[in-house]
Amino acid sequence: MARRFDAGYYISEGVHSIFTHGFMSFAAVCMIVACLIIMGSFSLLAVNLDNMLGDLENENEMVVYIDDSLTQDQARALQPNLAQVDNVSQLTFVTKEAAVTDFKAKRQEIADVLNDLPSDAFQDRYRVHVVDIERMAQTKAALEQVEGVSEVQAAIEIADGFVMVRNIATGVAMVLIGILLVVSLFIIANTIKLATFYRREEIAIMKMCGATDGFIEWPFVVEGMILGLTGALIAFFVQWGLYQLVAKLAVQGNGLSLVTMISYSSMATTILAVFCGVGAVIGVGGSLLAIRKFLQV
Amino acid sequence: MVRFIDVHKEYDNGTKALKGVNVRIDDGEFVFLVGPSGSGKSTLIKLITAEIAPTEGRVMVNGFNLNTITPRQVPLMRRTLGIIFQDFRLIEKKTVYENLAFSMRAIGASNRELRRRIPYVLQLVGLDKKGDRFPGQLSGGEQQRVAIARALVNNPSMIIADEPTGNLDPQRSLEIMMLLERINELGTTVLVVTHEKNLVNRFTKRVVAIENGRIMSDGTGGYYNGEKI
C-alpha cells in the first residue's frame, strides 16, 4: 500500500474531532479569542500611541537662521545645500519680514509694543522638518556646518522625550504581546492536550500499525488550524466592537481633540490578517505541542 | 525473520531485563514465548516493535537492523508486524469494520483497498456478519478475533500476540489459538507470548522459555520452563 497525502481524510478527521470533543473545542476557541483580544488591545494601543507621537513629532521643527550678511536671494540660494543634509525632509523659507509679521500675529496681547518693531528686526530663516527625530542632534550639527548658516535652534530635549516615550511604549507593548503569545500557546496546548489525552489509545494503535508521525499529526494540525481561525474571526469582530466603543468614549471625553484615534476600518485588513496568522500559529503550535508527548511510542 | 544476537537490555533504573539473549525465528514459524512475570518477555516484544533499543547486541526484524534503523524507517518496519494485545485495545466508539479501516487508513490505504481487504479478513476470523457491531456488543472471544483481524488486515509477515488469551475462558482461548495456528498455516509467522502452560502443551510447536532475562530452553514439542513434559 502506497503512502499518500490524503487531505480529505485529514480534514474530515480534524473536523470530526472538533465536534467529538465539543466542550474542549469551545474552551480552546474561547481561550484563543481572549488571548487575541488582549494582544490586539495592547497592539492597537501601541499603534495609536505611535501615531499620536508621530503627529507630535511632525510638529517638532528646527529653525535654521541665515547669516545677516547674506541677501535674501543668497539666503534662498542656500536651500539646495540645506536640502542635501541627511535626515532633512522638508524646508520652508521664511523671510525676515514674514517672521516679523508672524511674530506680531502671535503676540496680539502686546501689539502696541510691537508696532514700532522694524520689518528687518529678525533674520531670514528656514523651518526644517526631519525624517527621524532620533537623529535630530546630528542633523542640527550638520546644518550648522552649512556655509551661510548663523545658528540652528532645535528642541533636542523634547525630541529625545518623544523618542523615549515611543520606545518605552513600543517596548512594553512588544514584551506584553510576546508574553501573552507564549502564555496563549501553552494554554491552547494544554486545552488540546486534554482532547488528545482521550485519543492516546487511538494514537498508540496507529503507531503500532505503522502510521507515520505526520499521518497522526495532520488531523490535529487541521483541528488546531480550524480552532485558531475560528477564534481569530470571532476576536476580530469583538475587537472591532470594543475599539468603536473606546473611540466613542475618547471623543466624548476629549473636547479639545487632543487624542486622535486611527479608524478600525482603515486597519481592518491588517488586523484580520494578523489575527488569522496568530490564531493559526497558536492553534497549530498548541496542537503539535500537545500531541508530541503521545507520539513517543 | 527475527534475530537476536547476544542482546542485553538494561533500563535507566538499573534493571537488567535481558542478559545475552540469542534467538532466531524464521519466516513461517509458530513460536510460543513463555516465562513468568518479569522474566523479560515484554522487553523482548518491545525490542521487536522498536519501542525500546537494546543496550548491547544486535536485533534484526524482517530485514530491518534495529540497531541502525532511523525514526523514519520505524513505521515501515512496524507495517511488517501485526500486534495483538491481551486487553484487545479496540476503539470502543468505532464499529468492527471501522476499527479495521482505521488500521488500514493509518498506513495510507485507499477506500478501494479497504473494501477489498476488510471483508476477506473478517471472514477469515469468523466475524463476517458482525462488521457493523461495536466492540461493546461483542463477547471477549469475539473482541479478540477483531483484534486479530486488525493485526492481519495490513497483511503483515509476522503476528505478535502478547498474552492473547489472558482475558478469555479456556474454550475461547483454545479457539483463538487455533485461529492463530490457521493464520500461521496461511504463511504468516506467529509469535505468541503466554504463560498458560496447558494451552502451550496442547500444541506441538516451538517453545522458547525465558527467565531472568536469559533463554532457558528452546525446543519443539512441549518444553516449558526447562521441564520436559
Side-chain angles (χ1 to χ4, degrees):
Chain A
M1 273 167 260
R3 280 290 299 119
R4 56 205 177 79
F5 187 84
D6 194 344
Y9 172 76
Y10 297 143
I11 292 169
S12 98
E13 282 291 302
V15 172
H16 181 71
S17 175
I18 287 172
F19 291 103
T20 306
H21 310 104
F23 179 74
M24 296 310 299
S25 304
F26 176 73
V29 169
C30 287
M31 287 312 305
I32 292 171
V33 170
C35 292
L36 283 176
I37 287 175
I38 295 169
M39 279 192 290
S41 300
F42 274 107
S43 303
L44 288 171
L45 179 68
V47 167
N48 274 289
L49 200 56
D50 196 51
N51 182 56
M52 281 185 268
L53 287 172
D55 289 345
L56 291 171
E57 281 172 18
N58 287 338
E59 288 167 18
N60 190 16
E61 61 183 21
M62 288 195 282
V63 182
V64 177
Y65 295 99
I66 306 301
D67 199 307
D68 262 344
S69 63
L70 269 62
T71 64
Q72 214 157 73
D73 287 340
Q74 287 171 322
R76 281 183 196 278
L78 283 179
Q79 185 152 350
N81 298 352
L82 295 170
Q84 274 180 356
V85 172
D86 185 34
N87 198 33
V88 170
S89 68
Q90 197 187 336
L91 283 166
T92 311
F93 182 67
V94 181
T95 61
K96 57 184 79 170
E97 293 80 12
V100 169
T101 309
D102 188 40
F103 183 73
K104 284 180 177 173
K106 283 181 181 167
R107 298 287 187 276
Q108 287 292 333
E109 68 279 9
I110 53 167
D112 50 334
V113 179
L114 298 176
N115 274 343
D116 297 331
L117 195 67
S119 63
D120 61 347
F122 294 158
Q123 291 171 279
D124 291 327
R125 67 202 57 190
Y126 281 92
R127 285 204 186 108
V128 177
H129 283 92
V130 294
V131 178
D132 178 9
I133 65 164
E134 269 188 81
R135 291 189 285 142
M136 210 157 182
Q138 295 98 300
T139 311
K140 178 177 180 274
L143 287 167
E144 282 169 345
Q145 298 302 312
V146 175
E147 203 173 332
V149 171
S150 68
E151 191 190 348
V152 178
Q153 274 191 358
I156 305 280
E157 292 80 11
I158 295 173
D160 287 348
F162 283 146
V163 170
M164 192 173 70
V165 170
R166 188 181 60 186
N167 288 349
I168 290 172
T170 308
V172 168
M174 293 300 285
V175 168
L176 283 172
I177 290 166
I179 291 169
L180 284 167
L181 196 69
V182 173
V183 169
S184 311
L185 199 67
F186 280 97
I187 291 171
I188 301 306
N190 279 321
T191 310
I192 295 176
K193 196 179 275 181
L194 282 172
T196 316
F197 184 75
Y198 292 116
R199 295 174 66 184
R200 65 196 186 285
E201 193 77 344
E202 291 178 33
I203 294 170
I205 292 166
M206 283 198 275
K207 290 284 282 183
M208 279 300 144
C209 288
T212 60
D213 287 355
F215 179 88
I216 298 167
E217 283 168 346
W218 268 110
F220 288 95
V221 167
V222 170
E223 184 179 346
M225 174 102 52
I226 293 173
L227 294 178
L229 292 177
T230 306
L233 276 177
I234 295 171
F236 172 76
F237 288 108
V238 173
Q239 184 83 71
W240 197 333
L242 285 173
Y243 191 86
Q244 295 295 87
L245 189 69
V246 172
K248 199 175 162 187
L249 290 172
V251 169
Q252 280 173 357
N254 175 33
L256 295 173
S257 295
L258 288 173
V259 178
T260 53
M261 287 180 72
I262 307 169
S263 75
Y264 194 86
S265 54
S266 69
M267 302 181 286
T269 313
T270 312
I271 294 170
L272 186 61
V274 170
F275 273 20
C276 286
V278 174
V281 166
I282 291 175
V284 173
S287 287
L288 292 177
L289 269 178
I291 196 175
R292 196 177 50 180
K293 181 184 159 193
F294 298 100
L295 287 176
Q296 291 162 355
V297 180
Chain B
M1 195 258 283
V2 171
R3 205 155 171 210
F4 278 59
I5 302 167
D6 194 25
V7 173
H8 294 254
K9 177 63 190 177
E10 183 175 347
Y11 287 104
D12 291 342
N13 64 7
T15 307
K16 290 179 180 174
L18 294 182
K19 301 161 187 168
V21 168
N22 286 287
V23 72
R24 177 185 171 126
I25 300 168
D26 286 322
D27 289 342
E29 271 197 287
F30 189 117
V31 179
F32 283 113
L33 177 65
V34 299
S37 296
S39 58
K41 301 191 301 290
S42 295
T43 298
L44 202 135
I45 298 300
K46 283 179 179 174
L47 283 166
I48 294 175
T49 58
E51 284 178 71
I52 55 173
T55 312
E56 270 181 61
R58 289 179 62 199
V59 180
M60 303 283 293
V61 175
N62 294 332
F64 290 89
N65 181 346
L66 301 196
N67 297 79
T68 57
I69 196 167
T70 63
R72 278 179 175 276
Q73 287 176 314
V74 170
L76 302 178
M77 185 279 291
R78 285 180 180 161
R79 287 174 201 182
T80 68
L81 305 172
I83 302 166
I84 301 160
F85 303 97
Q86 179 179 353
D87 55 356
F88 321 134
R89 295 201 193 169
L90 301 173
I91 301 168
E92 292 296 322
K93 60 179 187 287
K94 290 187 191 287
T95 63
V96 169
Y97 189 96
E98 286 166 344
N99 265 280
L100 269 60
F102 179 76
S103 179
M104 287 187 77
R105 283 281 193 198
I107 63 161
S110 65
N111 286 336
R112 201 170 138 214
E113 288 168 315
L114 261 63
R115 284 195 295 271
R116 187 172 53 81
R117 180 77 180 159
I118 294 173
Y120 166 74
V121 176
L122 283 179
Q123 192 183 25
L124 192 69
V125 299
L127 289 173
D128 46 327
K129 305 285 185 213
K130 297 191 174 178
D132 61 342
R133 305 283 180 88
F134 287 92
Q137 296 171 317
L138 302 174
S139 68
E142 287 173 325
Q143 287 189 53
Q144 193 57 295
R145 281 170 185 272
V146 178
I148 292 171
R150 185 182 61 194
L152 273 177
V153 79
N154 288 329
N155 202 18
S157 52
M158 183 179 193
I159 293 278
I160 298 170
D162 190 2
E163 304 277 5
T165 57
N167 285 341
L168 304 177
D169 61 56
Q171 183 55 36
R172 300 287 91 76
S173 297
L174 186 61
E175 285 172 13
I176 290 297
M177 217 51 87
M178 287 167 73
L179 177 60
L180 289 171
E181 189 179 36
R182 188 164 163 235
I183 289 163
N184 175 242
E185 285 164 4
L186 292 170
T188 308
T189 311
V190 175
L191 173 64
V192 179
V193 178
T194 185
H195 55 246
E196 291 186 55
K197 190 174 179 176
N198 293 336
L199 199 60
V200 171
N201 291 333
R202 287 188 72 154
F203 294 85
T204 313
K205 301 290 181 189
R206 180 179 165 197
V207 180
V208 175
I210 186 169
E211 198 170 330
N212 289 325
R214 291 194 174 88
I215 302 291
M216 303 305 286
S217 65
D218 184 352
T220 306
Y223 281 85
Y224 186 64
N225 279 352
E227 298 169 29
K228 176 91 175 158
I229 305 297

